[in-house]
Amino acid sequence: MKTSEDGPLHRRLGAEFRRRIETGEWPEGLPVPSEAQLCEEFGTSRGPVRQALAQLRTEGHLVGGRGRPPVARRGTPSQPFASLMSFTQWAHSIGRTPGQHTVEVARRRAGADVAARLGLDEGAPVVDLVRLRHLDGVPAMVERSTFVLDVGAHLFAVDPDGGSVYEALTSRGVDLHHARHTIDAIAADADDAGLLKTAPGQPLLRVRRLAYTGDGTPVEYADDRYLPSMATFTIENTVGGRTVAGRDRSDSASIRPTP
């Protein structure tokens, strides 16, 4: 198999690896060849291969890590953090006052679902954070985040009620580079209803987030649930450009296409 002769080697390798995933040559859900195997196949050193694999992690085409072999994944590229700002940044951007009440910060053992998403073994130690987020003192969102231990351990040394957790983590050297967001609707359960002062079964906007380091290692899985009366989300499309998603005021259109 030959790569294009144009561009740096790591980009040409990345294009070839991406093609193999998208065509199923590297089946989704299965480990891709090792760095040593790829170096031998393409007659190159580990540097370009590692750069190419890191780029595919950033795009969401590879998942796993923390000692596990990377696994192929077909799908759309991840959006950067700037496309869906932290709750604190968003509130300030619309002229509202953010607030939060920490329900718990706890070290636990990862269940099967969270462990799979974070590339951990089931039962591995993680740190859970649950907060009720406010806009101008009014409940707006329940935030539930699970961090890998070496990242979440920082939460025991900061005040989660003091503002943006992301700002606190990055100030301590944590690499929060990009995230993949999935937005859907869900009925409020008893815990949601109690915190948000709404009725059980009421519809909520849910944003599930998987945050990664620059090399594509997952470090946080979050499940945020918003009252629809407090926030909506916009999607802006441009011809030939990337789709950008973000929160908006609750009285704005939820989808806003751009010609």
Side-chain angles (χ1 to χ4, degrees):
M1 202 293 334
K2 295 182 179 179
T3 63
S4 164
E5 297 300 323
D6 298 326
L9 178 57
H10 72 274
R11 291 186 182 175
R12 288 183 275 137
L13 291 172
E16 171 60 17
F17 299 165
R18 193 179 301 110
R19 182 197 67 78
R20 293 184 180 188
I21 292 172
E22 291 173 348
T23 61
E25 187 175 335
W26 286 355
E28 184 172 19
L30 295 181
V32 301
S34 67
E35 289 183 6
Q37 290 173 314
L38 293 171
C39 289
E40 181 178 357
E41 177 181 353
F42 291 95
T44 184
S45 63
R46 287 183 181 263
V49 169
R50 285 179 175 170
Q51 285 181 279
L53 294 174
Q55 180 59 41
L56 265 67
R57 286 184 183 275
T58 298
E59 296 172 359
H61 287 296
L62 292 178
V63 296
R66 312 191 77 80
R68 293 167 170 254
V71 171
R73 178 173 181 175
R74 298 170 67 182
T76 21
S78 305
Q79 295 293 334
F81 268 141
S83 297
L84 194 59
M85 298 182 298
S86 77
F87 185 92
T88 300
Q89 291 175 315
W90 167 65
H92 287 311
S93 76
I94 61 173
R96 309 287 290 275
T97 301
Q100 49 276 324
H101 166 69
T102 301
V103 178
E104 70 167 1
V105 182
R107 174 171 166 162
R108 289 201 172 90
R109 298 291 177 180
D113 180 61
V114 169
R117 294 177 187 273
L118 291 175
L120 302 172
D121 293 325
E122 184 175 357
V126 294
V127 176
D128 285 343
L129 170 67
V130 181
R131 295 194 295 177
L132 176 64
R133 311 304 298 271
H134 299 87
L135 287 176
D136 298 334
V138 178
M141 183 262 279
V142 177
E143 173 187 74
R144 296 181 176 92
S145 295
T146 299
F147 294 88
V148 298
L149 183 60
D150 57 347
V151 172
H154 292 290
L155 298 178
F156 296 107
V158 302
D159 178 10
D161 283 350
S164 171
V165 164
Y166 283 153
E167 290 181 5
L169 292 175
T170 54
S171 71
R172 289 171 170 265
V174 175
D175 177 17
L176 292 170
H177 182 267
H178 65 280
R180 179 181 299 276
H181 303 87
T182 302
I183 302 173
D184 61 5
I186 192 171
D189 62 21
D191 290 338
D192 297 331
L195 290 169
L196 293 170
K197 302 186 185 306
T198 190
Q202 288 296 306
L204 303 176
L205 289 172
R206 178 172 65 172
V207 180
R208 286 171 290 174
R209 178 178 63 258
L210 194 56
Y212 300 86
T213 61
D215 68 0
T217 302
V219 292
E220 180 210 16
Y221 175 65
D223 181 318
D224 299 340
R225 302 182 182 191
Y226 293 80
L227 285 169
S229 60
M230 300 298 290
T232 59
F233 291 82
T234 61
I235 297 175
E236 297 186 358
N237 299 314
T238 57
V239 174
R242 297 185 67 184
T243 298
V244 178
R247 301 182 191 89
D248 210 336
R249 299 173 184 269
S250 59
D251 56 356
S252 299
S254 60
I255 298 180
R256 187 172 58 212
T258 303

